[in-house]
């Protein structure tokens, strides 16, 4: 039982490049989330998916797109990366009030 | 003004001290309150969960919610070096916690 897994763990992009962050959970949870964490800002919700086939914007969705591929997988795409998107990205899943987080992806955009 | 305010610290205490961590909030609709613990370079983990006002105790940890003052606290008794981490408060207006609002996190160091 791996919980929530994220790939890659680290990534360096140049401004304008695109990439997809992958997330998968094996807990059969309906809800999945993408957050970014920046120093002094706490965790901010980018997008979430309450169930397979649905997605909704969070607090900071601009510059990102998501896909809920199936119940297990929820991906986050940066179409044209900007230095302001340098951050640590966390995926989470939940079946109730408790959210389970993955280990994070450290992204640097130069 | 942020919806949830939390002093980022850092907070440094000697082993065995009582630690008090606090958050204030502005949205009176919040009813679900959580504390997450995050070790360095790891994802957050749920530590305590409280619904509405009152106290909840779990071992060395006590969570308090004062909705009249829009103020929540986490107390750690007999603090240990293993408690060194960042503590994030989080809250929601709905039992569907899709939109948790997090504080900035307080970094705690417990020195042996």
């Amino acid at each position: 039982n791996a919980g929530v897994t994220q790939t890659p763990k680290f990534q360096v992009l140049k401004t304008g490049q695109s990439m997809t962050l992958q997330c998968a959970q094996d807990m059969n949870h309906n809800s999945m989330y993408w957050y970014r964490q920046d120093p002094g800002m706490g965790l901010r919700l980018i997008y979430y998916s309450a169930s397979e086939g649905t997605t909704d914007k969070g607090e900071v969705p601009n510059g990102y797109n998501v896909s809920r591929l199936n119940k297990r997988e929820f991906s986050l795409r940066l179409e044209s990366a900007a230095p302001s998107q340098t951050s640590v990205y966390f995926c989470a899943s939940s079946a109730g009030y408790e959210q389970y987080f993955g280990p994070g992806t450290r992204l640097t955009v130069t | 003004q942020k919806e949830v305010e939390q002093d980022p610290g850092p907070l440094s205490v000697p082993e065995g001290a009582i630690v008090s961590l606090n958050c204030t909030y502005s949205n009176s609709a919040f009813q679900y309150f959580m504390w997450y613990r995050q070790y360095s370079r790891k994802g957050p983990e749920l530590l305590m969960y409280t619904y509405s006002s009152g106290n909840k105790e779990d071992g060395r940890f006590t969570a308090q919610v004062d909705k009249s003052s829009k103020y929540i606290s986490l107390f750690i008794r007999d603090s240990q070096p293993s408690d060194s981490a960042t503590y994030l408060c989080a809250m929601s207006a709905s039992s569907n916690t899709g939109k948790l609002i997090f504080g900035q996190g307080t970094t705690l160091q417990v020195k042996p």
Side-chain angles (χ1 to χ4, degrees), chain B residues 8-65:
Chain B
L11 183 62
S12 181
V13 302
E15 183 176 353
I18 296 173
V19 176
S20 172
L21 304 169
N22 311 295
C23 288
T24 59
Y25 62 95
S26 58
N27 188 345
S28 58
F30 288 148
Q31 294 203 71
Y32 301 85
F33 304 92
M34 284 149 252
W35 286 95
Y36 280 80
R37 179 174 59 194
Q38 184 178 23
Y39 291 115
S40 181
R41 296 185 173 265
K42 300 287 187 184
E45 296 176 307
L46 183 66
L47 186 61
M48 298 285 284
Y49 166 80
T50 310
Y51 169 69
S52 193
S53 284
N55 294 358
K56 185 173 184 179
E57 189 172 319
D58 184 1
R60 296 184 295 109
F61 298 89
T62 300
Q64 285 186 352
V65 175

Side-chain angles (χ1 to χ4, degrees), chain A residues 10 31 33 35 37 40-43 45 48 50 56-59 90 94 96-104 106, chain B residues 2 8 34 36 38 40-46 49 56 86 88 95-105:
Chain A
F10 303 93
S31 301
Y33 316 88
Y35 292 91
Q37 186 173 36
M41 301 294 289
L43 284 161
L45 183 65
Y48 73 101
D56 280 293
K57 294 178 181 179
E59 181 185 356
F90 288 100
S94 73
Y97 62 81
E98 181 171 2
Q99 293 191 14
Y100 295 82
F101 286 80
R106 292 182 175 272
Chain B
K2 293 182 185 295
M34 284 149 252
Y36 280 80
Q38 184 178 23
S40 181
R41 296 185 173 265
K42 300 287 187 184
E45 296 176 307
L46 183 66
Y49 166 80
K56 185 173 184 179
T86 296
L88 299 127
S95 59
N96 170 10
T97 55
K99 290 193 174 183
L100 280 180
I101 307 298
F102 283 85
Q104 297 93 316

Side-chain angles (χ1 to χ4, degrees), chain A residues 33-56:
Chain A
Y33 316 88
W34 276 106
Y35 292 91
R36 60 178 289 173
Q37 186 173 36
D38 303 292
M41 301 294 289
L43 284 161
R44 292 182 292 170
L45 183 65
I46 304 171
Y47 270 94
Y48 73 101
S49 172
S51 62
E52 187 178 350
T54 67
T55 60
D56 280 293

